[in-house]
Amino acid sequence: MVQLLVCDDHAAMRRAEVGALEAEYSVVAAVADGRVMLDALCWTSPDVVILDIAMPVMNGIEAAARLKERASKAKIIFLTVHEEPEFLEAALAAGAQGYVIKSHLVSDLRVAINEVLAGRHFISPCLNAR
């Protein structure tokens, strides 16, 4: 089963993500910031890391860059409210393969996971329409 690590500073959002994904995937950890996510890699081997951008302690962009510095094989998907192009560009530059807008979690997140696992990129279609 595909293993996911969820990282979002909002507890309710973490619960919503886990609830939306746990029937189809194995959620090995759900944490509140980028530093804890990096620590969790010591005891988990996720196939996909789902990151928020704006988090305390270590934001998602920095966490993604550090994940790639560690040569992790985990695919990175950002799940965020940020629809501005500069955030998308920063996420891709940090190594993200997916970028999902939180308001499209239900319609886009599973698709994004499957796409990145197949070696493709996924960006929420609402952003591509711009």
Side-chain angles (χ1 to χ4, degrees), residues 76-119:
I76 299 169
I77 297 173
F78 279 94
L79 181 62
T80 182
V81 298
H82 297 288
E83 298 185 24
E84 301 84 1
E86 57 269 19
F87 286 101
L88 172 60
E89 291 167 12
L92 295 173
Q97 291 88 10
Y99 196 90
V100 175
I101 300 303
K102 283 185 178 180
S103 60
H104 295 269
L105 181 149
V106 173
S107 61
D108 292 357
L109 190 54
R110 280 189 200 93
V111 176
I113 292 167
N114 294 330
E115 286 294 304
V116 302
L117 287 172

Side-chain angles (χ1 to χ4, degrees), residues 4 18 27 42 48 57 64 95 105 109 113 118 122-123 125:
L4 307 177
V18 171
V27 179
C42 294
V48 178
V57 184
L105 181 149
L109 190 54
I113 292 167
F122 179 89
I123 298 170

Side-chain angles (χ1 to χ4, degrees), residues 23-101:
E24 192 172 340
Y25 306 99
S26 173
V27 179
V28 296
V31 299
D33 67 65
R35 184 168 299 152
V36 176
M37 181 274 299
L38 292 171
D39 291 343
L41 294 176
C42 294
W43 50 272
T44 64
S45 296
D47 300 298
V48 178
V49 174
I50 300 169
L51 286 170
D52 188 13
I53 288 180
M55 296 184 291
V57 184
M58 181 184 296
N59 71 51
I61 301 292
E62 184 179 350
R66 291 199 182 178
L67 187 65
K68 287 304 174 186
E69 286 173 4
R70 292 182 176 195
S72 171
K73 292 185 177 14
K75 307 290 186 186
I76 299 169
I77 297 173
F78 279 94
L79 181 62
T80 182
V81 298
H82 297 288
E83 298 185 24
E84 301 84 1
E86 57 269 19
F87 286 101
L88 172 60
E89 291 167 12
L92 295 173
Q97 291 88 10
Y99 196 90
V100 175
I101 300 303

